[in-house]
Amino acid sequence: AQKITQTQPGMFVQEKEAVTLDCTYDTSDQSYGLFWYKQPSSGEMIFLIYQGSYDEQNATEGRYSLNFQKARKSANLVISASQLGDSAMYFCAMSPNSGYALNFGKGTSLLVTP
Amino acid sequence: DVKVTQSSRYLVKRTGEKVFLECVQDMDHENMFWYRQDPGLGLRLIYFSYDVKMKEKGDIPEGYSVSREKKERFSLILESASTNQTSMYLCASSLLIAGLYEQYFGPGTRLTVT
């Protein structure tokens, strides 16, 4: 069975600062994918970034980067130059090799302050 | 752009009523999912479908059923709504990328059962 752990229920960061949201996972699969989603107060889930288990380089998408440490089974999301609009819930998720559904962590609430 | 739509953003139903939540995607995705989201619990998979008329139970199928008669439409049915089914319901469809599945989400339906 797969398990995703997000240990930070809530985080604060000042505007323009960088912030790291933690995610660790547990799986016996050799091939898997890791995802981060953002959920603003409006409720929709917005895909941010994806990392495959065999990707050697850390994924980056604009201000988002994924710090993938396979041996430590961690996939932390780094948001650089935080903006007020980054205030939201953030979910780490994992896709198993042979299955179809995502396993989600419980989420981290990020608040960006002026 | 991929679009996943859900029939209602907000819904209020009475205990014992039969409730239908509809989800439609316009990108010809094979896989569709229903999740339930509760504070502090993250997203939990109720059912998923990988083809028309095919369905698989997720982690919390009790009290729910699903229907997929057409590829683009996946319905979640609460046979007899109960107050503990008050929650946010999210539908998703998925696209295969690089051997793994990225999911696109609808806006969510916030269901209240009184």
Side-chain angles (χ1 to χ4, degrees):
Chain A
Q2 298 188 334
K3 187 176 179 183
I4 299 285
T5 303
Q6 294 180 253
T7 57
Q8 306 153 312
M11 291 277 290
F12 291 89
V13 66
Q14 229 171 0
E15 205 177 0
K16 299 179 186 174
E17 298 289 312
V19 63
T20 298
L21 306 183
D22 293 342
C23 174
T24 58
Y25 61 92
D26 189 21
T27 183
S28 56
D29 291 329
Q30 295 301 307
S31 178
Y32 49 87
L34 294 154
F35 302 80
W36 277 92
Y37 284 85
K38 172 184 177 182
Q39 187 180 43
S41 57
S42 53
E44 75 270 27
M45 294 286 281
I46 302 166
F47 166 75
L48 295 178
I49 197 166
Y50 162 80
Q51 177 88 39
S53 58
Y54 289 118
D55 295 340
E56 294 186 353
Q57 289 196 323
N58 287 341
T60 59
E61 289 287 346
R63 295 185 299 110
Y64 303 107
S65 61
L66 200 153
N67 184 0
F68 181 47
Q69 297 187 43
K70 194 170 182 178
R72 298 178 67 180
K73 294 189 174 178
S74 74
N76 298 338
L77 177 71
V78 180
I79 305 174
S80 62
S82 297
Q83 302 172 356
L84 296 178
D86 293 335
S87 294
M89 282 290 290
Y90 288 81
F91 290 95
C92 180
M94 182 176 203
S95 165
N97 180 42
S98 57
Y100 301 95
L102 289 173
N103 294 306
F104 284 86
K106 295 182 179 180
T108 295
S109 177
L110 177 66
L111 182 62
V112 181
T113 58
Chain B
D1 276 354
V2 176
K3 194 162 185 182
V4 180
T5 57
Q6 295 182 229
S7 50
S8 305
R9 291 300 303 271
Y10 300 93
L11 208 53
V12 180
K13 296 292 181 180
R14 291 186 180 273
T15 302
E17 279 193 82
K18 191 168 186 176
V19 181
F20 292 86
L21 303 183
E22 304 285 342
C23 175
V24 178
Q25 51 95 3
D26 66 357
M27 284 301 292
D28 204 34
H29 289 172
E30 287 83 8
N31 304 320
M32 296 187 74
F33 309 82
W34 276 105
Y35 293 91
R36 168 177 173 160
Q37 183 180 11
D38 299 289
L41 296 179
L43 279 75
R44 295 178 291 168
L45 181 68
I46 305 172
Y47 267 98
F48 68 98
S49 168
Y50 51 90
D51 203 351
V52 175
K53 297 191 187 295
M54 305 300 287
K55 61 186 180 185
E56 293 283 343
K57 291 180 180 180
D59 299 320
I60 51 164
E62 296 79 18
Y64 304 94
S65 62
V66 290
S67 172
R68 191 159 181 209
E69 298 296 320
K70 293 184 179 180
K71 192 175 186 179
E72 66 271 18
R73 187 180 296 269
F74 191 35
S75 302
L76 180 70
I77 303 155
L78 286 66
E79 297 290 343
S80 178
S82 63
T83 55
N84 63 13
Q85 293 178 308
T86 291
S87 187
M88 170 74 115
Y89 291 87
L90 289 159
C91 175
S93 69
S94 74
L95 170 70
L96 176 62
I97 54 167
L100 292 166
Y101 291 84
E102 176 186 344
Q103 292 190 8
Y104 296 86
F105 284 83
T109 295
R110 195 169 292 280
L111 173 68
T112 301
V113 182
T114 61

